[in-house]
Amino acid sequence: MNTRKMAVVASASLCLCLALAAGCGRSRKPVTPAASKEARALLNLFYSISGRHILTGQHNYPNTRDRNTQFASRTIGKTPAVWSTDMGFAEDGDTDSYLARPDIVDEARRQHEKGSLVTICWHAVPPTAEEPVTFRPRRGEAAAESLATVQGRLTDSQFSEVLTPGTALHSRWCRQVDSVAVYLRKLGEAHVPVLWRPYHEMNGDWFWWGGRHEPGGTVSLYRQLYDRLVYHHKLDNLVWVWSVDRPNKPAMHFSHYYPGNEYLDIVALDVYGNDFNPVYYDSLVTLSRGKPLVLGEVGNPPALEIMRSQPKWAYYVVWAGMVRNTSQKQYRVLVEDPFVLSLEDAAYAKVIRPFRNTCGLPDLSFPEPAAGKPESASPAPARGGSGFPGEWSFNEEKSALDEMGRGLIPDRIRISLDGKSLGIQKTSILEWGDERTTEENLTLGGKPVKSEFWNAPRLTTAQWSGNRDSLIVVSVVTLNRGGQISEMVTREAYSLKEQDAVLSVEQSSRSFRGPRRITLVYDRQ
């Protein structure tokens, strides 16, 4: 190659590098004009760890401060680095109470100071109602004209009115957004940047804001929210996280709901059932054009092999109440891997140092964790005994579970038998609150007993097996999800093992989530 050609190539290469650098600089700039230095530093943190680390995270119900995070820390052995919560929508006393917002501000400030990153979503109130509202429609609730629930669907004319200034529904929408902006501003005044994830799972049709991919639909609502918070309220502490669910039908394709790169800083996907399909990941990598990717909500953290093949996920947040969907053994494998960072990890302290310096906070330093296993949620010593009656404690190591882990599985069972009467008392450890105990009093012989489950009607029958060595309990719950009726059928076969010292429960079920078959093992107490 002659000298002139070499000079031309060198010049072209220099121009390309400068162009890429300029493009990189633009991509790292928050979409909020005049974003705070703390928000800019938070966004830069995610660019710096993309492809190098994934941060652990835990969601907390609004009215529980960090109780879910504390439970996760005890169960896993390390504290999740991302603290997640919701702005709330429900009545006073509910875990999702909207009246918890002052406490949310206080807790978010505390989490920020101690080293956690703060992300907030909002199950927004429909403009057809005033706070508080319910999460799902109550049985017999009126139609969309007076929709007072997060789930449900506005009519086309109502949705159009929400987007039309000067109308009643638009004015009410503004008031609702303004009520949340007050608390986001308080966090800004405290110099706390927020990973703000509004209108999550917008490509689904289960929330009132989602599932409208036509012009004047969900994208327009998202942009309207951006304009309200950024230009009307001039909030400068928000890092905008655009959030979708898995596209299990054509109408949910990501591209239908993408508002444009000028309206988002980070791209998020919600994943339940371990459905980490590489197609979703590849689609979002292409769509995001270099912006960071995160897992906004998960029922289970991605396994290490998923992290290796999808390395750009920068954090995951386990939803409240789902820590035990993953076994302690699986967690140990995750948190001991250097790719995965939790609050106590020295590598986390290192990557977060520039962010904390910008925020005027000291570097993180933690004592070495004490040797030993994470705290077990249910120690279960086995003792001898006779027959079904008695108290039983769950043994995770002996049980055969699926990807849902031990979430929703009773920690203790108390069985009583009196002639043809069967009593089953189940006590569950709640990750966000006190223990919950339910009791069923059944009649052996197959007579249905009416009760409720998830605010839905349930019929339960109980009878002996043919050779009377097992108790068979079958329950049928009739669910109404947005007018779609479905059944959740669960069959449990209780039998005794190891000279009556062990209770085995073979559980099979079918529901809208698909079939499930697990074996639960309990030790006699």
Side-chain angles (χ1 to χ4, degrees):
M1 182 179 295
N2 62 38
T3 304
R4 183 174 182 179
K5 286 185 177 180
M6 290 176 63
V8 171
V9 171
S11 176
S13 299
L14 176 61
C15 290
L16 177 60
C17 291
L18 290 173
L20 290 174
C24 182
R26 284 195 302 271
S27 67
R28 287 173 180 245
K29 184 179 179 181
V31 295
T32 299
S36 69
K37 63 180 182 179
E38 294 87 3
R40 295 196 302 271
L42 179 58
L43 182 58
N44 280 332
L45 167 63
F46 286 102
Y47 278 103
S48 72
I49 67 172
S50 178
R52 297 174 54 232
H53 292 292
I54 187 170
L55 307 183
T56 58
Q58 177 60 49
H59 186 75
N60 297 262
Y61 287 125
N63 210 17
T64 64
R65 288 188 174 261
D66 71 335
R67 192 154 183 173
N68 294 93
T69 293
Q70 291 183 38
F71 183 93
S73 180
R74 293 193 303 270
T75 302
I76 299 167
K78 288 186 178 181
T79 306
V82 178
W83 179 81
S84 169
T85 193
D86 188 293
M87 275 297 183
F89 57 88
E91 63 187 0
D92 187 20
D94 193 285
T95 53
D96 284 305
S97 173
Y98 78 102
L99 296 175
R101 288 169 190 166
D103 287 341
I104 289 171
V105 171
D106 291 341
E107 184 62 27
R109 291 178 63 180
R110 190 179 75 86
Q111 292 290 330
H112 172 65
E113 290 172 1
K114 80 170 194 173
S116 301
L117 305 182
V118 174
T119 180
I120 301 178
C121 63
W122 180 30
H123 285 86
V125 179
T128 50
E130 298 285 359
E131 294 172 326
V133 299
T134 60
F135 181 70
R136 58 174 60 88
R138 294 189 176 98
R139 278 187 288 166
E141 194 170 60
E145 285 71 17
S146 57
L147 185 69
T149 173
V150 173
Q151 292 190 344
R153 194 166 181 84
L154 303 181
T155 65
D156 291 345
S157 61
Q158 285 174 330
F159 201 90
S160 176
E161 188 176 335
V162 172
L163 298 175
T164 305
T167 64
L169 288 186
H170 179 82
S171 297
R172 183 179 289 177
W173 176 87
C174 289
R175 291 197 304 272
Q176 291 168 350
V177 172
D178 297 349
S179 69
V180 168
V182 169
Y183 298 96
L184 294 174
R185 180 180 300 282
K186 288 179 182 295
L187 287 171
E189 292 168 349
H191 304 287
V192 178
V194 175
L195 296 159
W196 173 238
R197 192 170 68 97
Y199 297 145
H200 61 288
E201 299 176 4
M202 65 171 61
N203 56 333
D205 59 4
W206 41 88
F207 295 130
W208 69 264
W209 58 79
R212 297 175 181 268
H213 58 80
E214 66 281 355
T218 300
V219 168
S220 296
L221 182 67
Y222 176 92
R223 290 171 177 166
Q224 180 173 280
L225 178 66
Y226 171 89
D227 289 341
R228 185 77 181 174
L229 294 181
V230 171
Y231 295 113
H232 179 78
H233 288 287
K234 301 188 186 316
L235 297 180
D236 64 359
N237 63 317
L238 304 183
V239 174
W240 285 78
V241 182
W242 174 76
S243 183
V244 287
D245 202 338
R246 294 149 294 152
N248 54 30
K249 53 186 178 181
M252 295 176 64
H253 284 174
F254 301 141
S255 58
H256 295 323
Y257 299 88
Y258 201 68
N261 271 26
E262 65 272 25
Y263 289 96
L264 62 95
D265 296 304
I266 294 175
V267 170
L269 178 68
D270 290 1
V271 174
Y272 290 93
N274 275 305
D275 185 18
F276 296 99
N277 191 321
V279 173
Y280 311 151
Y281 174 79
D282 293 340
S283 297
L284 290 177
V285 168
T286 301
L287 196 62
S288 64
R289 290 185 290 175
K291 297 210 174 189
L293 270 61
V294 300
L295 292 163
E297 299 174 23
V298 297
N300 305 81
L304 287 178
E305 55 268 25
I306 299 297
M307 296 180 187
R308 303 291 188 244
S309 62
Q310 302 177 20
K312 289 183 179 295
W313 298 123
Y315 71 72
Y316 67 78
V317 168
V318 174
W319 194 251
M322 294 187 174
V323 170
R324 291 175 299 166
N325 285 11
T326 304
S327 71
Q328 289 180 318
K329 181 179 179 180
Q330 291 171 310
Y331 275 125
R332 285 195 292 273
V333 172
L334 282 178
V335 299
E336 290 170 4
D337 192 278
F339 190 79
V340 183
L341 300 185
S342 299
L343 191 66
E344 294 85 357
D345 290 327
Y348 177 69
K350 182 178 180 180
V351 301
I352 201 176
R353 182 177 297 132
F355 169 67
R356 288 183 65 81
N357 289 346
T358 300
C359 296
L361 297 171
D363 291 350
L364 296 182
S365 62
F366 296 98
E368 288 296 321
K373 295 181 179 180
E375 175 185 326
S376 173
S378 58
R383 299 200 301 267
S386 170
F388 286 96
E391 294 189 7
W392 306 87
S393 185
F394 183 67
N395 189 317
E396 180 179 311
E397 295 297 324
K398 292 182 179 180
S399 300
L401 306 177
D402 57 9
E403 69 276 359
M404 293 181 67
R406 62 177 297 180
L408 302 179
I409 291 174
D411 189 70
R412 300 189 302 278
I413 295 178
R414 182 183 180 92
I415 298 177
S416 60
L417 272 173
D418 182 12
K420 289 188 175 181
S421 297
L422 169 65
I424 302 179
Q425 183 186 82
K426 298 179 178 180
T427 300
S428 300
I429 294 177
L430 298 188
E431 300 177 11
W432 61 89
D434 298 330
E435 293 181 344
R436 176 179 294 169
T437 298
T438 61
E439 188 166 357
E440 292 182 276
N441 295 302
L442 307 173
T443 301
L444 288 168
K447 180 181 178 180
V449 174
K450 296 181 180 180
S451 60
E452 281 198 352
F453 182 77
W454 290 350
N455 296 321
R458 174 174 62 181
L459 291 177
T460 306
T461 60
Q463 57 189 355
W464 288 104
S465 61
N467 55 7
R468 295 182 67 84
D469 65 347
S470 298
L471 288 166
I472 310 299
V473 179
V474 178
S475 68
V476 180
V477 180
T478 302
L479 301 172
N480 185 337
R481 305 179 74 219
Q484 296 182 355
I485 306 299
S486 63
E487 287 187 341
M488 183 169 66
V489 181
T490 303
R491 181 184 187 275
E492 294 180 319
Y494 293 74
S495 59
L496 297 172
K497 310 284 185 183
E498 300 180 18
Q499 298 180 331
D500 296 357
V502 170
L503 175 68
S504 175
V505 184
E506 299 284 344
Q507 186 186 98
S508 59
S509 62
R510 58 177 175 83
S511 67
F512 61 90
R513 292 173 174 160
R516 189 183 191 196
R517 188 176 186 88
I518 56 178
T519 301
L520 312 179
V521 175
Y522 291 82
D523 295 322
R524 186 184 291 277
Q525 298 299 289

